[in-house]
Amino acid sequence: MNAKFALPAILACTCTCVMTPALAEDPAQLVLHDGFDGSDFAPTGHLYYRDNFEQEAGKVEFQSDVKRTGTGALKLSVKPLCAPGKENCSERAEVWERTKSRVPYNQGVWYGFAVKFADPIPSGDHRYLIAQWKREIGPKAKGDFSPFLALRLNNGKLFATVETNYIAPPKTDVSAGAKTCDDNQTPVWFRADTNQMRALVATDSKWSKEDGQEFTGCTAAITVTDRGNKLPTPDSGWIDFAIYSKPGPDGTGHIELFANDKWIVTVKGHIGHADKGLGKNQYFKFGPYRAADTTDWTLYYDDFRRSPRCADVLSDVKLCPLK
């Protein structure tokens, strides 16, 4: 991975654009924020807590004991719900963007939020997610569609993945264990059975090769530019993320990942899904999500924001792209 320390010009307008009244009706131009300082979601955040079976494992609390800024923060926790041995059962406490406020799939937008892991931090080899970006799934869509971008936890370590449609590798490009890839390639988990592949794009400083055993191949369809910083570790306190999300299953995808005002990676290439029946918008949701487990798990969230402009999301505006 080659380090380059100037953000691409394609993002330059995200810092300086001025929203006109005409553009204000476009969801992609909305500037959203919720500091979770009240007793319910703020109208300015356009967020809500989803009500379905999986969410019955979860609990949402507006509290003031643990907070990053302001007078409060959101406490999201899950408890065991799935029956032992039940397949395809998960447990979640996720907050979603409202449907009418979602950004078109082919447009870029900046997201920001802060998260703090409560003790005990899960340390097992298991499926844990703390935030995910997905494409809407229509009623005629067929298949299993993983998030095109996800912040995940495994073995107590934080990492980020990008998903896209399956692109067959050279026959020599798959090994029996975690793969070390060339500079122009990215470690990937080929999943032909679901027409998907998952790339490992960022890890924390404690990550080891043994933690990514499923990433057995390499792909040039997704490129990662290492900006010289690792993700913070889950036990480091509040982690403030700023992320630019622009899916592009045709190879035009673009993601920028910052954490605690440090530039982590730039991801480009094939990002997201293009299957028939999928919706026109992307959407973001955050909160603890896991495969069935036997313990309670709690996360705190604060300072949600979303904007077409980097300067509204990244607290150190000097890091934003310039014209």
Side-chain angles (χ1 to χ4, degrees):
M1 300 181 186
N2 297 320
K4 300 176 182 177
F5 295 92
L7 271 171
I10 187 173
L11 290 180
C13 69
T14 62
C15 277
T16 58
C17 295
V18 177
M19 183 167 56
T20 65
L23 289 175
E25 298 177 1
D26 177 3
Q29 299 302 315
L30 292 172
V31 178
L32 309 181
H33 178 263
D34 194 340
F36 310 117
D37 294 328
S39 58
D40 202 350
F41 295 106
T44 53
H46 295 210
L47 300 172
Y48 74 105
Y49 187 75
R50 190 73 170 240
D51 184 13
N52 58 24
F53 171 75
E54 291 176 324
Q55 297 273 109
E56 290 181 5
K59 184 178 182 181
V60 55
E61 299 175 66
F62 293 82
Q63 54 81 55
S64 58
D65 293 333
V66 179
K67 54 188 180 292
R68 179 174 178 264
T69 61
T71 59
L74 199 62
K75 181 180 180 181
L76 297 174
S77 53
V78 289
K79 62 183 180 181
L81 172 70
C82 300
K86 185 175 181 179
E87 296 183 0
N88 300 319
C89 186
S90 59
E91 298 158 347
R92 340 173 164 235
E94 292 184 315
V95 173
W96 295 50
E97 289 180 284
R98 292 196 175 276
T99 304
K100 66 179 181 180
S101 307
R102 294 175 181 175
V103 175
Y105 199 60
N106 61 355
Q107 294 188 36
V109 65
W110 284 90
Y111 286 90
F113 68 96
V115 63
K116 178 181 174 62
F117 288 79
D119 290 327
I121 298 170
S123 59
D125 183 7
H126 201 68
R127 186 172 81 248
Y128 299 104
L129 280 78
I130 67 168
Q132 52 181 309
W133 288 255
K134 300 192 74 171
R135 184 171 186 171
E136 291 175 334
I137 302 174
K140 295 184 179 180
K142 296 181 180 179
D144 173 25
F145 303 101
S146 294
F148 64 81
L149 171 63
L151 298 175
R152 302 173 181 269
L153 184 75
N154 192 42
N155 295 326
K157 301 166 188 178
L158 193 60
F159 66 110
T161 61
V162 162
E163 199 95 17
T164 193
N165 290 120
Y166 176 76
I167 299 173
K171 291 183 179 179
T172 58
D173 221 17
V174 178
S175 65
K179 187 79 169 178
T180 300
C181 300
D182 296 334
D183 286 346
N184 63 340
Q185 295 182 321
T186 300
V188 67
W189 175 18
F190 291 109
R191 303 196 293 156
D193 57 328
T194 60
N195 189 33
Q196 297 184 105
M197 61 184 195
R198 179 175 298 171
L200 177 65
V201 300
T203 62
D204 72 16
S205 59
K206 295 182 180 179
W207 185 269
S208 68
K209 198 170 182 179
E210 288 70 29
D211 294 311
Q213 290 297 314
E214 67 269 34
F215 299 98
T216 59
C218 297
T219 184
I222 299 170
T223 61
V224 178
T225 303
D226 185 348
R227 301 300 183 177
N229 297 294
K230 292 290 188 180
L231 289 171
T233 57
D235 60 358
S236 60
W238 282 103
I239 303 171
D240 187 53
F241 287 101
I243 294 172
Y244 179 74
S245 166
K246 182 184 179 298
D250 59 353
T252 61
H254 186 173
I255 289 169
E256 298 288 351
L257 174 55
F258 292 79
N260 291 342
D261 284 335
K262 291 185 178 180
W263 197 0
I264 309 300
V265 291
T266 298
V267 185
K268 287 190 172 184
H270 294 261
I271 298 172
H273 304 86
D275 303 70
K276 292 181 179 179
L278 293 177
K280 65 179 182 179
N281 297 320
Q282 58 177 299
Y283 66 95
F284 171 57
K285 53 183 180 174
F286 62 88
Y289 161 49
R290 68 186 185 187
D293 209 346
T294 59
T295 61
D296 292 352
W297 178 33
T298 297
L299 297 167
Y300 295 93
Y301 290 84
D302 207 348
D303 299 322
F304 166 76
R305 61 261 189 215
R306 193 194 85 186
S307 176
R309 298 181 296 274
C310 169
D312 293 329
V313 172
L314 190 59
S315 59
D316 185 354
V317 297
K318 298 189 298 295
L319 293 173
C320 283
L322 303 175
K323 282 188 176 180

